Amino acid sequence: MKTARDLTLEAAQSAGSSRSFGGRAAIRDVPFVQVKKLLDSRHDREILEGLRKVISMMYRSKPCLPYFSSVVKNVASPNIEIKKLVYIYLLHYAESEPDLALLSINTIQKSLTDQNPQVRAMALRVMSGIRVPVISQIVSLAIKRGCGDMSPHVRKAAALAIPKCYKLDPNTLPQLLDYLSILLGDKQYYVVGSAVTAFLEICPDRIDLIHKHYRALIRKLVDMDEWGQLALIRLLTVYARKCFPKRFTRLKKNSSEGFYDDDTNEQVTEIPKEEVQVLDPDLELFLRACKPLLQSRNSAVVVAVVRAFLHLGTPEYLDTAVGPLVALLRSGQDLQQIVLYNIVSVCLVRPASFVPYTSHFFVRSSDVPKVWQLKIELLTLVFPHSDSQSKGLILSELEHFTKTSRNDLVRESVRAIGRCAQNDSRTSKRCLNLLLRQTSSEDGNLVAEVLTVVRHLIQQDPASHITTVIRLAKNLDTMTNPEARASIIWLVGEFAGMEGEDNIAPDVVRILARGFADESEPAKLQIILLAAKVYIHHINRTQKSESEGKAPDTQEGDELDSIVEQNSSTEQDHPIAILWRYILLLARYDTSYDLRDRTRFYKALLGDATSIQLASLLLLAPKPVPHTPSPSEGRRTWLLGSASLVIGEEAGPSGLSGYEMLPEWVQSGQEPDSKVRDEIPAKPQYGEKRDEPAGEKLDSALRGKAAEKKLNGVGQVTGQMTLDDWLAEEESEGSTESEEDDEDDEEEEEEEEEEEEEESDESSDAEKTGLVENKDRPAQHG
């Protein structure tokens, strides 16, 4: 016990060190001789002060190796504070001085038998942390002793020491697996959490060790700490994929015609429904145990539960997890961005579940670019599944963003409107009107982006957007952005085959030919393509009119000859042919190599009458309807909660180092038998007293009372007695016992009275005999 003087000095020293923590005195180097003198002192207070100075220098990257011998010799100190600091120093420098560290192994081994469980756990932790391969067997024996320790803290330290021992010597794996199997069946949940973490580090594929502990692990899941819950959910998710096959059933509904049975021949038809996943009872046990964890304060646990529901459970389980997942958006911006990546990944699979939470995805003024990009993407994903009111709200939100001064937000909103239009054809007209309003913007890049989106929308239904193309063609006089002009010219070329007044393609070519030299290279390429399409349509119309005038038995060679003659006589003087030759002449002397090469290709292709059909196939082939995927479509395959999901394509095709995909579902018939998961009841050892719950005690008392009545013939018990009956019987028995006691007391009182009467009679007789004897004695003497 410390004296008052020592306590006063220690308090003064602590106060002085706290005052100088932030100043220069805290970082001033202490002389080597002074620190060594403190470490060699006989007083615990001075040794503790010296160790604190050494640890402080160690964490400031100062050379502390010269103090090794002076520090290690204090490992045998009974003071636990000194032991902690010496152990910290040992863990840091044991690899640099293995020989000196081995000298302290014996002292650490003695600490394994200390009465204080904290000292035993700390000794085991330090011994396993000394990275010297020579002591691997000693560490293994220490782990074996720790597995059988009565303190759960020591058993937890043993579980954490298993991976360290495996890294020291992988040959100890068979022994460590036996220890790990014991710790996985421990009754304390925090011991099991550390054992699961060790299992994932040294033998994640040995699922045969999990079979007999499966249900016990599930029962301990709720009580574990967050790190243990993360490890166990990850382990059981992999276990479920390897041990439970994915089964489906097809539900059928019987529908009968003739409701009132008026028809003599009632027809019964079976209407098949969609396939429904059937869960294994043990798998459903795991999923139900995960539901309470959705209320965890740790966001990683919530994401892990959602991952389990997504890859193992039915859509109903996933629907219950959407709300807690969205609730994580209330966190800080750094965590909010990671949560949004996970929400987008789930929304790509089941977007309808996020419709009630649409308002949570509206952009705020304080959101960083990555956050509002993901929120806008979520709005476009839930848009097709929303009702008309929610759709109008989303479009109004996106329209508001197109009017802001932030160009990046405007462009992203324009793309989002385009995705909304392609996913829901009923709102494409409104989306198109919103986009066409942006064509008058002064930002050329924004106009180019708008026209690209408009082009995709027009390709979905070209026949209903003829007036839109004409409206865009009129904007060529004021449009200056090269990409925007190229998009409009391409759209005009797609409608170059129309008949009548709606065909504006030849006039557009005529107008653009005048300023061909001043156009940008993308626009020139599209002008050449437009002129080629107009010329091909002209040739096809001419060929069609000529073929209609021919006789049915005309040979193909004669037809080709007539086409050539037509080209040589009348077609050469047609305005479209003259315009085509003029465009070829302009492009012939252009400075762009690509433009000149493409012009020569078109000229050779359209100059020969036999290659007209080939040119039609190349230039007039129907274009596929473009579909713009969601920006995060490439992240669909990454696991929730992984760093590869956040990084995306930059993580590479196989993800970051250490990333592992979930295994495929086991095939039906190849899964292990469900009996391997049956728990074996532990038999109590001889002399061990089993803890019996109060309910079992009451039931056994009732059964004992009923059996006693049957043996004594007092009464018979029919059926199961309730607690009220049992208490009433006790009261009646108590009253009968009290009556019997009263009768016994009365009998005893009567017996006592009789005995008193007998004693009084005997005493009276004795007195009479005494008087007679006294009378006779004087007579005899006389």
Side-chain angles (χ1 to χ4, degrees), residues 732-753:
S732 61
E733 290 174 0
S735 61
T736 53
E737 290 178 357
S738 62
E739 292 176 358
E740 292 177 356
D741 294 339
D742 294 340
E743 293 177 358
D744 294 339
D745 295 338
E746 292 177 359
E747 291 177 357
E748 290 178 357
E749 290 177 357
E750 291 177 357
E751 291 178 357
E752 290 178 356
E753 291 177 356

mmCIF file of all heavy atoms in Angstrom, residues 732-753:
data_model
loop_
_atom_site.group_PDB
_atom_site.id
_atom_site.type_symbol
_atom_site.label_atom_id
_atom_site.label_comp_id
_atom_site.label_asym_id
_atom_site.label_seq_id
_atom_site.Cartn_x
_atom_site.Cartn_y
_atom_site.Cartn_z
ATOM 1 N N SER A 732 -55.117 -25.699 1.417
ATOM 2 C CA SER A 732 -55.956 -26.729 2.063
ATOM 3 C C SER A 732 -55.119 -27.685 2.890
ATOM 4 O O SER A 732 -55.476 -28.077 4.002
ATOM 5 C CB SER A 732 -56.742 -27.495 0.998
ATOM 6 O OG SER A 732 -55.852 -28.147 0.117
ATOM 7 N N GLU A 733 -53.936 -28.058 2.333
ATOM 8 C CA GLU A 733 -53.051 -28.944 3.101
ATOM 9 C C GLU A 733 -52.565 -28.255 4.363
ATOM 10 O O GLU A 733 -52.451 -28.857 5.426
ATOM 11 C CB GLU A 733 -51.863 -29.349 2.227
ATOM 12 C CG GLU A 733 -52.258 -30.289 1.091
ATOM 13 C CD GLU A 733 -51.087 -30.528 0.177
ATOM 14 O OE1 GLU A 733 -50.010 -29.958 0.467
ATOM 15 O OE2 GLU A 733 -51.234 -31.265 -0.806
ATOM 16 N N GLY A 734 -52.318 -26.946 4.243
ATOM 17 C CA GLY A 734 -51.865 -26.216 5.432
ATOM 18 C C GLY A 734 -52.946 -26.166 6.509
ATOM 19 O O GLY A 734 -52.653 -26.279 7.707
ATOM 20 N N SER A 735 -54.214 -25.993 6.096
ATOM 21 C CA SER A 735 -55.299 -25.954 7.086
ATOM 22 C C SER A 735 -55.489 -27.305 7.761
ATOM 23 O O SER A 735 -55.677 -27.405 8.975
ATOM 24 C CB SER A 735 -56.592 -25.515 6.398
ATOM 25 O OG SER A 735 -56.952 -26.444 5.384
ATOM 26 N N THR A 736 -55.384 -28.400 6.958
ATOM 27 C CA THR A 736 -55.536 -29.741 7.563
ATOM 28 C C THR A 736 -54.384 -30.012 8.511
ATOM 29 O O THR A 736 -54.561 -30.593 9.591
ATOM 30 C CB THR A 736 -55.571 -30.801 6.463
ATOM 31 O OG1 THR A 736 -54.423 -30.630 5.616
ATOM 32 C CG2 THR A 736 -56.833 -30.632 5.601
ATOM 33 N N GLU A 737 -53.189 -29.589 8.120
ATOM 34 C CA GLU A 737 -52.051 -29.810 9.016
ATOM 35 C C GLU A 737 -52.214 -29.020 10.311
ATOM 36 O O GLU A 737 -51.874 -29.488 11.396
ATOM 37 C CB GLU A 737 -50.758 -29.399 8.310
ATOM 38 C CG GLU A 737 -50.372 -30.355 7.180
ATOM 39 C CD GLU A 737 -49.119 -29.873 6.481
ATOM 40 O OE1 GLU A 737 -48.638 -28.792 6.861
ATOM 41 O OE2 GLU A 737 -48.636 -30.579 5.571
ATOM 42 N N SER A 738 -52.764 -27.804 10.221
ATOM 43 C CA SER A 738 -52.956 -27.007 11.452
ATOM 44 C C SER A 738 -54.008 -27.643 12.361
ATOM 45 O O SER A 738 -53.868 -27.664 13.591
ATOM 46 C CB SER A 738 -53.365 -25.589 11.071
ATOM 47 O OG SER A 738 -54.601 -25.609 10.368
ATOM 48 N N GLU A 739 -55.085 -28.221 11.722
ATOM 49 C CA GLU A 739 -56.086 -28.909 12.542
ATOM 50 C C GLU A 739 -55.483 -30.124 13.250
ATOM 51 O O GLU A 739 -55.726 -30.379 14.425
ATOM 52 C CB GLU A 739 -57.255 -29.324 11.675
ATOM 53 C CG GLU A 739 -58.065 -28.135 11.152
ATOM 54 C CD GLU A 739 -59.163 -28.591 10.209
ATOM 55 O OE1 GLU A 739 -59.238 -29.824 9.969
ATOM 56 O OE2 GLU A 739 -59.937 -27.743 9.729
ATOM 57 N N GLU A 740 -54.674 -30.890 12.516
ATOM 58 C CA GLU A 740 -54.035 -32.049 13.119
ATOM 59 C C GLU A 740 -53.107 -31.617 14.246
ATOM 60 O O GLU A 740 -53.034 -32.274 15.298
ATOM 61 C CB GLU A 740 -53.260 -32.824 12.054
ATOM 62 C CG GLU A 740 -54.166 -33.494 11.026
ATOM 63 C CD GLU A 740 -53.354 -34.184 9.961
ATOM 64 O OE1 GLU A 740 -52.099 -34.068 10.009
ATOM 65 O OE2 GLU A 740 -53.937 -34.824 9.067
ATOM 66 N N ASP A 741 -52.430 -30.515 14.061
ATOM 67 C CA ASP A 741 -51.537 -30.028 15.122
ATOM 68 C C ASP A 741 -52.338 -29.626 16.359
ATOM 69 O O ASP A 741 -51.920 -29.881 17.502
ATOM 70 C CB ASP A 741 -50.721 -28.828 14.614
ATOM 71 C CG ASP A 741 -49.757 -29.242 13.513
ATOM 72 O OD1 ASP A 741 -49.447 -30.449 13.447
ATOM 73 O OD2 ASP A 741 -49.323 -28.360 12.722
ATOM 74 N N ASP A 742 -53.506 -28.997 16.136
ATOM 75 C CA ASP A 742 -54.343 -28.612 17.286
ATOM 76 C C ASP A 742 -54.822 -29.850 18.054
ATOM 77 O O ASP A 742 -54.807 -29.888 19.295
ATOM 78 C CB ASP A 742 -55.550 -27.804 16.817
ATOM 79 C CG ASP A 742 -55.117 -26.467 16.224
ATOM 80 O OD1 ASP A 742 -53.974 -26.026 16.536
ATOM 81 O OD2 ASP A 742 -55.887 -25.872 15.425
ATOM 82 N N GLU A 743 -55.224 -30.886 17.293
ATOM 83 C CA GLU A 743 -55.660 -32.124 17.956
ATOM 84 C C GLU A 743 -54.506 -32.743 18.730
ATOM 85 O O GLU A 743 -54.685 -33.230 19.862
ATOM 86 C CB GLU A 743 -56.190 -33.101 16.918
ATOM 87 C CG GLU A 743 -57.489 -32.628 16.262
ATOM 88 C CD GLU A 743 -57.945 -33.594 15.181
ATOM 89 O OE1 GLU A 743 -57.213 -34.588 14.942
ATOM 90 O OE2 GLU A 743 -59.001 -33.357 14.575
ATOM 91 N N ASP A 744 -53.328 -32.745 18.132
ATOM 92 C CA ASP A 744 -52.165 -33.308 18.831
ATOM 93 C C ASP A 744 -51.869 -32.497 20.080
ATOM 94 O O ASP A 744 -51.519 -33.074 21.137
ATOM 95 C CB ASP A 744 -50.938 -33.300 17.899
ATOM 96 C CG ASP A 744 -51.144 -34.255 16.735
ATOM 97 O OD1 ASP A 744 -51.990 -35.165 16.856
ATOM 98 O OD2 ASP A 744 -50.468 -34.073 15.695
ATOM 99 N N ASP A 745 -52.028 -31.205 20.027
ATOM 100 C CA ASP A 745 -51.774 -30.373 21.209
ATOM 101 C C ASP A 745 -52.776 -30.666 22.316
ATOM 102 O O ASP A 745 -52.409 -30.766 23.507
ATOM 103 C CB ASP A 745 -51.834 -28.889 20.837
ATOM 104 C CG ASP A 745 -50.719 -28.506 19.875
ATOM 105 O OD1 ASP A 745 -49.700 -29.242 19.848
ATOM 106 O OD2 ASP A 745 -50.865 -27.488 19.153
ATOM 107 N N GLU A 746 -54.045 -30.855 21.909
ATOM 108 C CA GLU A 746 -55.057 -31.182 22.922
ATOM 109 C C GLU A 746 -54.763 -32.527 23.591
ATOM 110 O O GLU A 746 -54.874 -32.694 24.807
ATOM 111 C CB GLU A 746 -56.439 -31.207 22.281
ATOM 112 C CG GLU A 746 -56.913 -29.821 21.838
ATOM 113 C CD GLU A 746 -58.257 -29.901 21.146
ATOM 114 O OE1 GLU A 746 -58.778 -31.038 21.018
ATOM 115 O OE2 GLU A 746 -58.798 -28.838 20.748
ATOM 116 N N GLU A 747 -54.375 -33.523 22.769
ATOM 117 C CA GLU A 747 -54.046 -34.832 23.334
ATOM 118 C C GLU A 747 -52.867 -34.723 24.276
ATOM 119 O O GLU A 747 -52.833 -35.336 25.360
ATOM 120 C CB GLU A 747 -53.745 -35.810 22.210
ATOM 121 C CG GLU A 747 -54.977 -36.161 21.374
ATOM 122 C CD GLU A 747 -54.617 -37.083 20.225
ATOM 123 O OE1 GLU A 747 -53.408 -37.384 20.070
ATOM 124 O OE2 GLU A 747 -55.527 -37.496 19.466
ATOM 125 N N GLU A 748 -51.868 -33.923 23.872
ATOM 126 C CA GLU A 748 -50.702 -33.772 24.735
ATOM 127 C C GLU A 748 -51.081 -33.088 26.039
ATOM 128 O O GLU A 748 -50.586 -33.472 27.118
ATOM 129 C CB GLU A 748 -49.627 -32.955 24.007
ATOM 130 C CG GLU A 748 -48.992 -33.710 22.842
ATOM 131 C CD GLU A 748 -47.978 -32.857 22.133
ATOM 132 O OE1 GLU A 748 -47.833 -31.680 22.528
ATOM 133 O OE2 GLU A 748 -47.330 -33.355 21.170
ATOM 134 N N GLU A 749 -51.971 -32.102 25.953
ATOM 135 C CA GLU A 749 -52.395 -31.424 27.186
ATOM 136 C C GLU A 749 -53.140 -32.402 28.112
ATOM 137 O O GLU A 749 -52.930 -32.406 29.345
ATOM 138 C CB GLU A 749 -53.287 -30.236 26.843
ATOM 139 C CG GLU A 749 -52.522 -29.083 26.173
ATOM 140 C CD GLU A 749 -53.458 -27.965 25.786
ATOM 141 O OE1 GLU A 749 -54.675 -28.134 25.987
ATOM 142 O OE2 GLU A 749 -52.963 -26.933 25.270
ATOM 143 N N GLU A 750 -54.026 -33.230 27.533
ATOM 144 C CA GLU A 750 -54.744 -34.216 28.359
ATOM 145 C C GLU A 750 -53.772 -35.190 29.011
ATOM 146 O O GLU A 750 -53.885 -35.549 30.188
ATOM 147 C CB GLU A 750 -55.742 -34.974 27.503
ATOM 148 C CG GLU A 750 -56.906 -34.096 27.030
ATOM 149 C CD GLU A 750 -57.843 -34.864 26.132
ATOM 150 O OE1 GLU A 750 -57.539 -36.051 25.857
ATOM 151 O OE2 GLU A 750 -58.863 -34.289 25.685
ATOM 152 N N GLU A 751 -52.774 -35.642 28.213
ATOM 153 C CA GLU A 751 -51.787 -36.566 28.766
ATOM 154 C C GLU A 751 -51.008 -35.899 29.889
ATOM 155 O O GLU A 751 -50.726 -36.514 30.928
ATOM 156 C CB GLU A 751 -50.840 -37.026 27.668
ATOM 157 C CG GLU A 751 -51.510 -37.937 26.644
ATOM 158 C CD GLU A 751 -50.555 -38.325 25.550
ATOM 159 O OE1 GLU A 751 -49.394 -37.835 25.580
ATOM 160 O OE2 GLU A 751 -50.935 -39.113 24.661
ATOM 161 N N GLU A 752 -50.686 -34.645 29.721
ATOM 162 C CA GLU A 752 -49.934 -33.944 30.766
ATOM 163 C C GLU A 752 -50.784 -33.802 32.028
ATOM 164 O O GLU A 752 -50.289 -33.980 33.158
ATOM 165 C CB GLU A 752 -49.498 -32.566 30.263
ATOM 166 C CG GLU A 752 -48.420 -32.634 29.181
ATOM 167 C CD GLU A 752 -48.071 -31.259 28.685
ATOM 168 O OE1 GLU A 752 -48.727 -30.295 29.134
ATOM 169 O OE2 GLU A 752 -47.150 -31.139 27.840
ATOM 170 N N GLU A 753 -52.088 -33.510 31.842
ATOM 171 C CA GLU A 753 -52.958 -33.397 33.018
ATOM 172 C C GLU A 753 -53.075 -34.742 33.760
ATOM 173 O O GLU A 753 -53.025 -34.801 34.985
ATOM 174 C CB GLU A 753 -54.347 -32.931 32.583
ATOM 175 C CG GLU A 753 -54.363 -31.483 32.096
ATOM 176 C CD GLU A 753 -55.739 -31.094 31.616
ATOM 177 O OE1 GLU A 753 -56.621 -31.969 31.605
ATOM 178 O OE2 GLU A 753 -55.923 -29.910 31.247
#
